[in-house]
Amino acid sequence: MAESKQTSGKPMTLVDPIDMSLLDAKFRDDIKSMPDGEELSACFACSTCTAACPIANQWTYKPHQLIRMILLGMREEVLSGKEIWECLTCFQCQERCPQKVRITDIFFDCKNLAAESGKVPEKVLAIAKELIDKGQLYVVTSDWEREDLGLEAAVPGLSTDGIRAILKETRTGRLVKGGE
Amino acid sequence: MPVYNLYMGCSVPANYPNYEAAMMKVAEALGMEFEYMPDVACCGSPNLRAIDYFGWLVVNGRTLAIAEKNGHDILTPCNGCFGSLKDVQHHLKHDSEDRARVNKELRKHDLEFKGTIKVRHLVEAIYTDIGPDEIRRKITKPLDGVGIAIHYGCHLLRPADVTEFKPEMLEELVRATGAKVVEYPLWKQCCGATILPVNEPLAIRLARDKIRSMKEAGAEYATVVCPACGNQLDLQQLGLKESYGEVYDLPVLLYPQILALALGIGEDAVGLRMNRVAADSILGHLKG
């Protein structure tokens, strides 16, 4: 019989014990009350979401673990991790969940909770600033290219006043102000 | 003639005027009337949804409310805009509380979201309102059966209960041009665009895997229906020589470019020269 390579230390399959005193039971209620968070508790940890995720192998915590961590109340670990921001938003996990847990949507909820406490990656904050300053993520610079193709140099109907006025008054405005 | 509220978003006009020109030519040839919407700009992208859900609801609720004023469906060529508009429409129709909150903001500008029109992606509208049979009748220069791989883009397909799009629609539209649709293992995989700001190497690896999968399955061309996906598969392909030491040379065309060429519209009118990986070889696959 082949000898097991792992003779001492904890088995690879076990994770560090969770410190119960650090759990925040309100976390799952917060998520459940957010858009598309209702089905959170239906998760039975089958990890189909993780199998469907094209980048789960890059992550310390896999999608099914993140859902479990939300249910357990590991607010800090989920909201401070890189995983929620690296979610491709490809919806493959959500589409395949046999329990109809809206996983991708829930990760959007997590990002909103992180943003509410000011935790936004620098380059995402730069996008917020673009939206406040310019009202769009891409601005026409090569208008001669448009004219060559028979299009009007300036995009017909374009007005950025509306979006800028809205976002100045919502969280985007507060984040950009706080980041300055 | 069906009339649509055309919502271009920000990326197509700035980065892909060839997509815009091609879709306008196609609309003219197929008898679809695209009217540029007034007073609108960017949808905010999934990034806005991530940091400011309510702001994202109001921005897109406003766009929908403006479109509702003339009663025509809203149409966009961008998967990002489509995903935002479609998801916000879905949410506001199902969540009366958020709808009231959004309308409270919109009323300040004499607008109201009622949910009375449909959100359409360009290719879904071409499929549903014109259809493959009518397209086949109008085609004068069909393709010669050359193999094209389709990249749909995540926010066109999923979540399916929200987007209501079926992959077969675009498949049939590609076949209607005379091309063959090449199936490839990673057809559902993301192009990686969304995570460019937070993990660029990973985003590029996803695009590269996708291109490789298409090429290995025998595709001679690829087609996309989104500027962000186009950026990942076409523009980023040029950088793979340096980052991966790999050259794929897989031309990526916006679907309306292929359709326009098959309808007999010239390559200059659809900006074929603007495609980053040289795509003019497709002209050799047009018959008639």
Side-chain angles (χ1 to χ4, degrees):
Chain A
M1 208 170 96
E3 247 179 80
S4 167
K5 276 183 188 161
Q6 198 176 340
T7 51
S8 62
K10 70 179 184 198
M12 295 284 287
T13 47
L14 289 187
V15 295
D16 289 329
I18 296 163
D19 183 345
M20 298 286 284
S21 68
L22 298 178
L23 299 183
D24 176 356
K26 208 178 145 286
F27 188 24
R28 61 170 175 262
D29 296 329
D30 285 350
I31 294 291
K32 274 194 218 171
S33 71
M34 291 176 82
D36 304 298
E38 304 88 341
E39 300 300 326
L40 175 69
S41 308
C43 171
F44 52 27
C46 69
S47 67
T48 299
C49 49
T50 294
C53 177
I55 61 168
N57 63 338
Q58 307 275 319
W59 289 356
T60 308
Y61 300 119
K62 317 301 180 195
H64 72 286
Q65 290 174 312
L66 290 164
I67 294 294
R68 188 78 2 207
M69 287 161 79
I70 297 169
L71 284 163
L72 286 167
M74 298 168 77
R75 184 189 293 266
E76 187 57 27
E77 287 85 346
V78 173
L79 299 188
S80 300
K82 67 169 187 174
E83 287 86 354
I84 52 174
W85 297 100
E86 283 189 359
C87 169
L88 295 162
T89 77
C90 73
F91 291 95
Q92 296 249 43
C93 54
Q94 180 165 319
E95 208 70 353
R96 296 186 198 184
C97 176
Q99 289 293 88
K100 299 197 182 336
V101 178
R102 299 190 77 89
I103 305 152
T104 316
D105 289 332
I106 287 171
F107 291 165
F108 270 111
D109 291 337
C110 290
K111 284 175 272 197
N112 271 269
L113 281 180
E116 182 59 23
S117 50
K119 282 183 280 204
V120 176
E122 201 183 321
K123 286 191 178 165
V124 178
L125 193 61
I127 290 171
K129 194 169 181 325
E130 285 289 295
L131 289 172
I132 292 286
D133 292 346
K134 298 180 183 154
Q136 46 186 349
L137 298 178
Y138 299 101
V139 179
V140 173
T141 48
S142 314
D143 50 7
W144 49 272
E145 274 183 345
R146 296 181 54 81
E147 285 178 318
D148 278 356
L149 288 163
L151 300 167
E152 286 187 43
V155 187
L158 175 73
S159 167
T160 61
D161 296 347
I163 176 169
R164 290 169 63 225
I166 291 166
L167 296 182
K168 260 180 210 162
E169 303 302 321
T170 59
R171 190 188 291 133
T172 308
R174 295 198 292 279
L175 282 167
V176 170
K177 232 182 219 169
E180 270 169 0
Chain B
M1 187 186 285
V3 182
Y4 307 83
N5 280 303
L6 180 59
Y7 180 72
M8 290 305 296
C10 64
S11 184
V12 173
N15 307 325
Y16 289 87
N18 50 350
Y19 190 5
E20 186 173 344
M23 70 179 273
M24 298 314 270
K25 291 286 177 199
V26 162
E28 206 182 307
L30 298 181
M32 302 167 92
E33 200 173 326
F34 293 167
E35 288 177 358
Y36 284 92
M37 279 184 71
D39 294 324
V40 290
C42 178
C43 75
S45 83
N47 287 296
L48 181 61
R49 182 182 176 186
I51 57 169
D52 183 1
Y53 191 85
F54 183 65
W56 178 73
L57 286 182
V58 180
V59 165
N60 290 287
R62 175 182 176 274
T63 302
L64 292 164
I66 293 173
E68 283 179 11
K69 286 207 283 188
N70 67 15
H72 299 305
D73 287 350
I74 186 166
L75 178 142
T76 177
C78 170
N79 286 4
C81 299
F82 176 73
S84 283
L85 292 170
K86 196 87 178 162
D87 215 309
V88 168
Q89 166 114 335
H90 187 265
H91 184 72
L92 294 182
K93 275 191 165 185
H94 290 87
D95 189 318
S96 54
E97 253 174 65
D98 273 352
R99 183 169 164 166
R101 283 174 71 210
V102 166
N103 273 332
K104 198 179 154 202
E105 297 302 314
L106 296 183
R107 263 193 294 277
K108 295 176 191 166
H109 310 278
D110 289 322
L111 290 167
E112 188 190 356
F113 170 86
K114 298 195 192 87
T116 50
I117 57 159
K118 283 189 193 150
V119 177
R120 320 283 303 270
H121 188 286
L122 169 70
V123 292
E124 179 274 317
I126 295 176
Y127 178 85
T128 312
D129 299 352
I130 306 297
D133 292 339
E134 177 67 12
I135 287 172
R136 262 184 221 102
R137 271 193 289 276
K138 292 199 164 156
I139 278 175
T140 54
K141 291 186 170 179
L143 279 91
D144 61 2
V146 65
I148 298 182
I150 300 173
H151 172 68
Y152 299 89
C154 302
H155 298 157
L156 179 63
L157 296 181
R158 294 178 294 270
D161 57 342
V162 175
T163 69
E164 302 173 295
F165 186 86
K166 293 187 173 55
E168 296 77 20
M169 296 179 184
L170 187 49
E171 234 176 78
E172 280 195 48
L173 288 180
V174 170
R175 286 203 189 99
T177 66
K180 194 182 85 188
V181 172
V182 176
E183 289 179 19
Y184 61 103
L186 293 190
W187 72 276
K188 272 187 180 177
Q189 187 170 297
C190 175
C191 72
T194 309
I195 58 162
L196 276 171
V198 289
N199 192 339
E200 194 176 337
L202 182 55
I204 289 172
R205 198 208 81 196
L206 286 157
R208 173 259 191 181
D209 291 353
K210 186 105 204 183
I211 295 163
R212 189 182 179 126
S213 179
M214 290 171 164
K215 194 84 182 181
E216 283 175 355
E220 287 189 57
Y221 298 88
T223 190
V224 293
V225 292
C226 169
C229 303
N231 208 51
Q232 282 293 93
L233 300 185
D234 190 17
L235 181 63
Q236 304 275 29
Q237 207 183 125
L238 305 180
L240 296 180
K241 193 176 176 191
E242 201 182 321
S243 51
Y244 281 86
E246 294 169 355
V247 176
Y248 291 98
D249 224 355
L250 180 70
V252 180
L253 289 95
L254 285 318
Y255 173 71
Q257 288 184 306
I258 299 172
L259 178 55
L261 293 171
L263 287 166
I265 296 161
E267 68 262 33
D268 289 340
V270 300
L272 200 61
R273 273 176 299 179
M274 285 184 61
N275 294 41
R276 304 323 198 268
V277 175
D280 49 338
S281 63
I282 194 144
L283 301 174
H285 292 282
L286 299 173
K287 297 189 292 186

